[in-house]
Amino acid sequence: MNNNPEILRFRIDGMACGACSARSQKALCKMKDIDSATVSLADGTAQVRPAEGALDNGLDAFIQEVTDRVDKLGFKASYLPPDVDEHDLWESEQEKTRADLAVRRRHLVTEFIFAVPLVAVAMGSHWGMPLPSWLSPHDSPLIFALFQLLLALPIIWSGRDFYRHGIPLLLRGAPNMDSLVAMGTGAALLYSLWSTLEIAAAASPEEAHQAVMGLYYESAGMLIALISLGKYLEAVSRTRTSEAIRGLMELTPEQVERMLPDGGVKEIPVRAVMPGDRLLIKPGSRIPVDGVVASGASSLDMSSLTGESMPVDVAEGDEVNAGTLNISGAFVMEARRVGSDTALARIIHLVREAQGSKAPIAGLADRISLYFVPAVMGVATAAALAWLFFGNLPFGDALRVFVAVLVVACPCALGLATPMSIMVATGRGAQLGVLMKNGTALEASGHLDTIVFDKTGTLTEGSPRLVSLHAEGMDENEALALAAALEAGSEHPLARAVLGEAEKRGLSTSTVEDFCAVGGAGVTGRVEGHELLLGNERLLADHGVTLSSEQKALVVSLADDGQTPLLLARDGALVSVLGVADPLREETPGVIRDLRAMGCRVMMLSGDNERTARAVASRAGIDDVVAGVLPDGKEKVVARLQSEGRRVGMVGDGINDAPALARADVGMAMGSGIDVAMEAGDVVLLRGLPGVKTALGLGRATLSNIRLSLFWAFAYNVLLVPVAAGVLLLFGGPAMSPMLAGAAMSLSSVSVVLNALRLRTFR
């Protein structure tokens, strides 16, 4: 996992649209003490990488420098420490979100309570709705205007944040969506107030009636209500993107039973658990922290953490991880890693970090959003002036064009398109056991056309096993017992394979005399008076043991099948041939087949000899094999593929494959060793090989989702801005109402969020 202390996270409050996040990011990147920065509108965070030497004066000084810079932009920044408890952080964010939604809901109710009658009064005569004479624009124009003003004032007060945020940013030369709304509704309000004064000062009913035509209180009021509704729906939808985090958080129990020195138990909060504490884990309860089984045995459901569908048996000395479910027996565990140090907490941190990151494809939208708002202001002003001076429209109608253009072109949808898709996709990936470290890895996964696999521990299980046993002149178990007796003193992986099979069969071994290990050849010794040899053909040849043609054919056949032959000779004659191999993972052939169906070129790299490597590759369904390569050689193979224009994904165990993982466009680390894997790759595959398909499929689905959102965001502005500017008027059509513009703008943002949420159903 990328828990790099040099990457600092900040929460940024007050951002309203893509222009806000783009401007904040640009300002941070310009700071001399910052190497790089990304600001995400979707989750309101910034990730900052300090430049070389930036922390020499202390972390506090750097944090203050960043927060001051953000504050000058009109936003509020606060530092998120890397060691903060993820559960506490999530709870505080959820509480803040709930409070924010409650405030928005109250404002929304207020605005619509007054906006609906405001529109009814203002437009009633146009719609054939009778108004009492005391409220009629013909009989009582001043009361008609003042009544609308009274209805509009609570709406303006409820939506005051548009002005409180938008106007200062406009004065700083950094306008955002709130600035557009503030300018549009503010212009309509000011003109309506002026018209109200004209009605009050009118010398005749005709003048008063003419001034009534300049009232646009209903446009300003309903516009604020509709945009607030859109922002509320958007906020509600965005809360659903955190469901992946919520699901992970709920895997940790709140209380746990701690063993007392007298043998009793005491229930304590999980956050009070310390390393070394002994905890009683009952059937049906979840493991609260990482640790080891101190006594007892059970079966664990680890699907929530690793995706492993079958229960895993654990006994004394075995490791257990927070979030896994105890299925059967009760046991006592000793806590080792607690709080933010658990594997589950680090996974949650990784997902949060990825959700706040950006993909390269977001750069285009950011650059456009940065300059879009000033451009919209220019277009709105030019359109209004053109209609006023050259189109002979009344000032009020030209003002409606101005307001409609400002509102309809708010770049919310543009700024949300990419970060919303990334947030949902990384959360969905975590649910499926694929941890994307950042948006760049997610996007790059969607472009991959070549997948390179390490062999040992990736395509294979990583632990050699005895897979065949041929005996001549004696029973198989007798031959295996002799081989195990010789290997008892060896730590070689082949020896462990032989000993493991003997132990599995319950065989007892004799004592070995005169044991000798022959480097690169095998072992020798004396058992019950018999001279024994166990090793390769060279060992037997050196001791004068010759093989018949049938025996040689058997050895060649085993080697061709990817097995390492171990030859056992007793008293100068071959009595057994044992075949040891690292078996393929059960899912390997299916994964390779599916990747090919997705259009990917598949290659295998191995340090084994050519014959063994090709035998394994053949069983896996891989034709493209490079054998006999060291770790640096694997990196060179990846580099060569990239020089040919291939987009390369490297899948390895995260240890000896580190150079190749780093070189690849996307390094995918098997998550069987969580600590190592989280450091090694761009993507962590908690569920093993099937995660490769998930990563590619999710990357492609996310790119498609982002492109669709960006297309509609761009198309929306390309189509509706000219309509709002009055293009239809040139052909005798209608002008766009500011209220319709506000509804369309809100709908565009909500549609982008809903499109991103489709990724939650990715399979």
Side-chain angles (χ1 to χ4, degrees):
M1 141 184 188
N2 188 9
N3 195 19
N4 186 348
E6 293 183 358
I7 297 179
L8 309 180
R9 295 177 68 231
F10 294 82
R11 177 184 290 148
I12 300 184
D13 295 319
M15 295 191 298
C17 66
C20 298
S21 58
R23 188 165 284 109
S24 301
Q25 181 170 311
K26 184 178 181 181
L28 290 174
C29 288
K30 281 186 174 180
M31 294 175 62
K32 63 181 179 62
D33 284 340
I34 290 180
D35 182 52
S36 63
T38 59
V39 178
S40 171
L41 172 65
D43 67 348
T45 64
Q47 296 191 32
V48 176
R49 183 187 294 276
E52 188 75 27
L55 302 181
D56 290 348
N57 294 328
L59 178 60
D60 290 342
F62 179 81
I63 291 172
Q64 188 63 48
E65 185 181 359
V66 172
T67 53
D68 288 346
R69 185 73 183 94
V70 173
D71 290 349
K72 287 180 181 177
L73 297 174
F75 310 119
K76 180 67 177 176
S78 55
Y79 176 59
L80 299 175
D83 57 349
V84 67
D85 186 274
E86 289 291 342
H87 192 275
D88 289 344
L89 180 60
W90 184 78
E91 283 291 351
S92 68
E93 289 181 351
Q94 291 302 300
E95 185 177 343
K96 183 176 180 295
T97 298
R98 287 191 292 267
D100 178 61
L101 285 175
V103 170
R104 288 180 185 272
R105 194 160 45 243
R106 287 199 304 271
H107 287 179
L108 200 57
V109 170
T110 300
E111 289 158 13
F112 272 95
I113 284 176
F114 289 95
V116 171
L118 173 58
V119 172
V121 169
M123 306 299 293
S125 59
H126 299 286
W127 297 341
M129 293 173 55
L131 292 174
S133 59
W134 63 271
L135 194 53
S136 168
H138 298 285
D139 301 331
S140 308
L142 183 58
I143 294 178
F144 177 72
L146 291 175
F147 190 79
Q148 289 187 57
L149 174 60
L150 289 175
L151 288 174
L153 287 176
I155 302 174
I156 303 303
W157 177 252
S158 179
R160 62 190 179 277
D161 282 349
F162 289 115
Y163 306 95
R164 197 161 54 89
H165 297 148
I167 292 176
L169 288 172
L170 178 64
L171 296 177
R172 290 190 182 99
N176 70 343
M177 186 204 81
D178 288 349
S179 304
L180 295 181
V181 176
M183 282 185 63
T185 59
L189 282 168
L190 290 175
Y191 186 61
S192 299
L193 287 171
W194 177 254
S195 297
T196 302
L197 293 176
E198 285 187 327
I199 294 171
S204 66
E206 290 75 15
E207 288 183 10
H209 182 66
Q210 184 64 34
V212 164
M213 303 303 293
L215 296 177
Y216 294 98
Y217 289 120
E218 86 288 351
S219 292
M222 185 53 80
L223 196 55
I224 288 174
L226 286 172
I227 293 175
S228 296
L229 174 62
K231 295 187 78 167
Y232 175 75
L233 293 176
E234 177 189 311
V236 170
S237 298
R238 283 163 66 174
T239 60
R240 297 173 65 188
T241 64
S242 65
E243 288 194 4
I245 297 290
R246 180 185 292 111
L248 291 171
M249 289 290 184
E250 290 174 351
L251 294 178
T252 305
E254 294 185 1
Q255 301 288 123
V256 66
E257 293 185 340
R258 182 171 62 188
M259 301 293 294
L260 300 176
D262 61 3
V265 295
K266 178 183 180 182
E267 190 171 77
I268 62 170
V270 168
R271 63 187 58 201
V273 175
M274 301 294 290
D277 284 351
R278 292 195 164 221
L279 311 174
L280 176 63
I281 309 299
K282 294 180 178 178
S285 61
R286 290 198 176 272
I287 311 300
V289 296
D290 291 355
V292 297
V293 178
S295 63
S298 184
S299 294
L300 301 184
D301 177 358
M302 303 184 69
S303 58
S304 57
L305 193 63
T306 66
E308 173 61 49
S309 58
M310 296 297 292
V312 177
D313 294 332
V314 293
E316 188 173 336
D318 290 336
E319 289 192 8
V320 292
N321 292 109
T324 54
L325 179 66
N326 183 23
I327 299 175
S328 52
F331 64 91
V332 176
M333 66 169 288
E334 180 180 320
R336 293 286 176 86
R337 294 186 298 272
V338 301
S340 60
D341 291 332
T342 67
L344 178 62
R346 296 201 300 276
I347 289 172
I348 293 170
H349 182 83
L350 181 66
V351 175
R352 293 176 60 88
E353 197 172 73
Q355 289 186 333
S357 68
K358 286 190 175 181
I361 197 173
L364 174 64
D366 284 347
R367 289 191 295 273
I368 292 175
S369 295
L370 187 60
Y371 303 106
F372 193 74
V373 174
V376 167
M377 290 181 174
V379 170
T381 303
L385 293 176
W387 282 113
L388 183 63
F389 293 109
F390 303 109
N392 298 318
L393 280 185
F395 181 81
D397 290 344
L399 178 64
R400 288 166 67 90
V401 169
F402 176 75
V403 174
V405 173
L406 285 181
V407 173
V408 84
C410 289
C412 287
L414 204 59
L416 285 171
T418 300
M420 285 304 303
S421 294
I422 290 174
M423 281 190 70
V424 178
T426 51
R428 182 58 181 155
Q431 291 174 331
L432 297 174
V434 175
L435 301 182
M436 299 282 184
K437 284 194 174 180
N438 49 53
T440 301
L442 182 61
E443 180 180 339
S445 295
H447 290 300
L448 296 180
D449 56 27
T450 303
I451 307 296
V452 178
F453 289 94
D454 170 51
K455 179 180 75 71
T456 305
T458 302
L459 294 175
T460 66
E461 294 181 358
S463 56
R465 293 209 313 256
L466 184 68
V467 295
S468 64
L469 177 57
H470 305 270
E472 297 182 11
M474 66 172 61
D475 180 71
E476 281 190 0
N477 285 344
E478 183 183 354
L480 180 58
L482 290 175
L486 274 177
E487 296 285 27
S490 174
E491 291 297 324
H492 194 280
L494 296 180
R496 289 198 294 270
V498 173
L499 290 168
E501 182 64 22
E503 183 178 344
K504 182 178 176 182
R505 297 191 185 189
L507 303 179
S508 58
T509 59
S510 303
T511 304
V512 179
E513 299 174 351
D514 302 328
F515 175 82
C516 179
V518 182
V523 294
T524 66
R526 182 188 299 274
V527 174
E528 297 178 353
H530 296 287
E531 294 287 345
L532 297 179
L533 308 172
L534 181 64
N536 55 26
E537 288 185 74
R538 180 165 64 86
L539 176 69
L540 269 64
D542 290 345
H543 287 77
V545 180
T546 58
L547 306 183
S548 67
S549 58
E550 292 82 4
Q551 292 169 337
K552 288 182 178 179
L554 175 60
V555 171
V556 171
S557 174
L558 293 178
D560 287 341
D561 193 41
Q563 300 180 36
T564 300
L566 290 177
L567 284 66
L568 176 65
R570 182 174 67 173
D571 298 331
L574 182 70
V575 294
S576 180
V577 179
L578 299 84
V580 177
D582 182 5
L584 275 180
R585 294 179 184 270
E586 184 179 347
E587 65 272 20
T588 295
V591 170
I592 301 303
R593 187 168 54 249
D594 291 342
L595 289 174
R596 283 183 160 171
M598 295 172 75
C600 290
R601 175 184 177 185
V602 181
M603 176 182 287
M604 187 187 85
L605 302 181
S606 175
D608 279 345
N609 62 70
E610 185 82 15
R611 175 182 287 177
T612 301
R614 289 210 171 271
V616 173
S618 176
R619 292 202 303 274
I622 300 175
D623 300 322
D624 206 345
V625 180
V626 179
V629 287
L630 298 175
D632 60 337
K634 295 179 182 180
E635 185 267 341
K636 290 175 182 175
V637 171
V638 172
R640 174 173 58 79
L641 290 169
Q642 290 173 323
S643 69
E644 297 171 0
R646 314 290 298 189
R647 304 281 185 88
V648 183
M650 174 69 195
V651 188
D653 61 11
I655 305 171
N656 63 334
D657 303 308
L661 287 168
R663 169 65 66 180
D665 294 279
V666 179
M668 301 186 192
M670 300 288 283
S672 52
I674 292 175
D675 292 334
V676 174
M678 285 189 174
E679 295 293 342
D682 304 301
V683 178
V684 181
L685 308 175
L686 291 180
R687 300 189 181 182
L689 279 184
V692 179
K693 296 186 302 179
T694 304
L696 265 65
L698 185 60
R700 293 178 182 183
T702 304
L703 282 176
S704 175
N705 190 273
I706 290 173
R707 290 187 183 114
L708 182 61
S709 290
L710 287 176
F711 169 78
W712 283 115
F714 281 120
Y716 160 84
N717 283 298
V718 169
L719 291 174
L720 292 188
V721 168
V723 173
V727 167
L728 296 182
L729 289 173
L730 296 174
F731 304 98
M736 177 178 279
S737 161
M739 286 185 288
L740 180 60
M745 187 278 290
S746 297
L747 185 61
S748 71
S749 297
V750 174
S751 66
V752 163
V753 175
L754 293 178
N755 182 51
L757 288 173
R758 291 192 305 116
L759 289 169
R760 292 176 58 209
T761 63
F762 174 82
R763 294 286 184 271

